[in-house]
Every structure is written in C-alpha cells, then in structure tokens.
Amino acid sequence: MAILNIRIIGDPVLRTVADPVTEFGPELAKLVADMTETMEDVDGAGLAAPQIGVSKRIFTYRIDGVEGHIINPVLENSEDYQPDHVEGCLSIPGLGFPVRRFRATRITGVDMHGNPVSIDAEGMLARCFQHENDHLDGILYTDRLEGEDRKAALRSIRNAKYDAVTERTTAKRAKSVGSSFGGASFGGTSTPGSSFGAAG
Ligand code: NI
C-alpha cells in the first residue's frame, strides 16, 4: 500500500466530472486500499479519487468508526436540511466554513468487487457522502457557500497562494497536509472550525 499525494485547489482534476468505474480487478482494489491508507494517514473523514489525481467515481469514508468505500455512487437526498456544520477539505488546506447539506441521504453503488452497496445515512455520515460525491462532479464545498461566507472563502483561497502549497505537497507526504491544520477529523471532538478539518 502507499500514501498518495493530495491534489490542491487549482488542480484541474478537482474540477473535472469523474468517469464511472468499469473495470473491477486488482488495480481497483489497490487504489481503494491506497486511498483508505491515505485517508487514515491524514486522519481524514473521507477521500475522493479526484483528490489523489484519479478522475474516477470512487470515494472512501470514515465517520465515527464506520469506514468504507463506494464506487459509482448515486445519492437520493431528503428534501429537508440538517443544521449547518463546519466542513473543511484536504484539497483546500486551512479553511473551514459551515455548509448546508441535506439531512439524510440514501447512497447506492457498488464495492470494489462490483457487489451492490446501499446505505441510509443521516447526520455526519450523510454530510460526508454529499461532500465526497460532490468531488466526483468537480464541486468543492466552497461552491456551496453563499453571502459573506462565500466572499470570505474566495478571499482566503486567493490569498493562500495554493500554487505554492501544491508544489510543496508534491514534494512531501500527504500527512503534512493533514497535520498542518491539526489533522482533526470530521465529526470529531476537535476545535470548532476544524471539525471537518481533514475531511475530504
Ligand atoms: Ni473534500
């Protein structure tokens, strides 16, 4: 297994709609294993394949001890929303803003062997699924912000010089990205503002 480098905002792969997985075999199993190891290494709540430069519809997740992966996910969201909660993203280091998400979601897809998966999620797990699924459509959580939060996020992104971060992170293990903002995991007991900290 291997720890993978995490792509940072500004990388076009994060803005690309990912392709469905069509081949199920040892290569896919290795990718899922490496993504899982990378997510654990940065103490993240989730990791989508585009974040490690693979434009495929795959993500891993880890919320409150529930860990897994989903391939070719489809979400059926509730019509109502859950209370806003701060999210962060490994691809936008150091930032966190409250995001509006649907209260519940039913996710269906397959696992690495092609076997069907269906999970009814609420709360943080539902939030994680929505955040990670967005990555597969080239959407970042900051796109979901409105008003002052959106302005503040865009300003922070402009000022953060992520181009330089990208250069640094390609030279370092992904772990340095996580630890640079505390490695707090989504849904953990960490400080407010970093609670989706090393999310996805
Ligand atoms: Ni993310």
Side-chain angles (χ1 to χ4, degrees):
M1 296 210 293
I3 305 291
L4 307 165
N5 282 321
I6 293 175
R7 303 299 180 92
I8 302 299
I9 187 169
D11 191 316
V13 72
L14 294 173
R15 292 310 198 172
T16 303
V17 177
D19 297 320
V21 172
T22 54
E23 290 191 30
F24 295 80
E27 215 170 297
L28 178 64
K30 182 180 187 319
L31 177 62
V32 170
D34 287 349
M35 285 176 60
T36 301
E37 190 181 5
T38 302
M39 173 181 68
E40 290 171 350
D41 188 64
V42 296
D43 198 17
L47 185 68
Q51 292 184 277
I52 46 96
V54 176
S55 195
K56 294 282 183 189
R57 305 191 77 81
I58 306 166
F59 69 74
T60 59
Y61 61 91
R62 194 180 62 145
I63 297 288
D64 296 335
V66 181
E67 188 175 294
H69 70 278
I70 308 256
I71 293 165
N72 299 339
V74 175
L75 267 58
E76 289 172 68
N77 297 318
S78 62
E79 288 182 5
D80 53 334
Y81 296 90
Q82 56 177 275
D84 290 357
H85 195 283
V86 171
E87 295 185 18
C89 183
L90 294 168
S91 296
I92 316 176
L95 235 61
F97 286 94
V99 185
R100 194 179 194 215
R101 297 289 186 188
F102 295 106
R103 180 185 54 80
T105 191
R106 170 173 293 171
I107 191 166
T108 52
V110 295
D111 66 13
M112 66 170 92
H113 308 293
N115 298 319
V117 175
S118 176
I119 301 169
D120 287 313
E122 294 187 355
M124 293 307 264
L125 189 58
R127 177 173 292 276
C128 174
F129 286 165
Q130 290 167 71
H131 178 114
E132 301 308 329
N133 193 64
D134 271 354
H135 275 300
L136 308 184
D137 291 326
I139 297 167
L140 300 173
Y141 81 91
T142 46
D143 302 339
R144 303 248 179 231
L145 303 176
E146 294 173 359
E148 289 305 312
D149 279 352
R150 184 179 180 84
K151 281 184 205 163
L154 294 178
R155 196 164 48 236
S156 298
I157 289 166
R158 259 199 317 275
N159 293 337
K161 300 200 168 38
Y162 283 122
D163 290 350
V165 174
T166 304
E167 282 166 25
R168 278 206 306 280
T169 51
T170 51
K172 285 185 185 177
R173 275 165 37 109
K175 188 176 185 102
S176 62
V177 180
S179 58
S180 70
F181 51 101
S185 64
F186 170 162
T189 53
S190 46
T191 52
S194 65
S195 44
F196 198 97

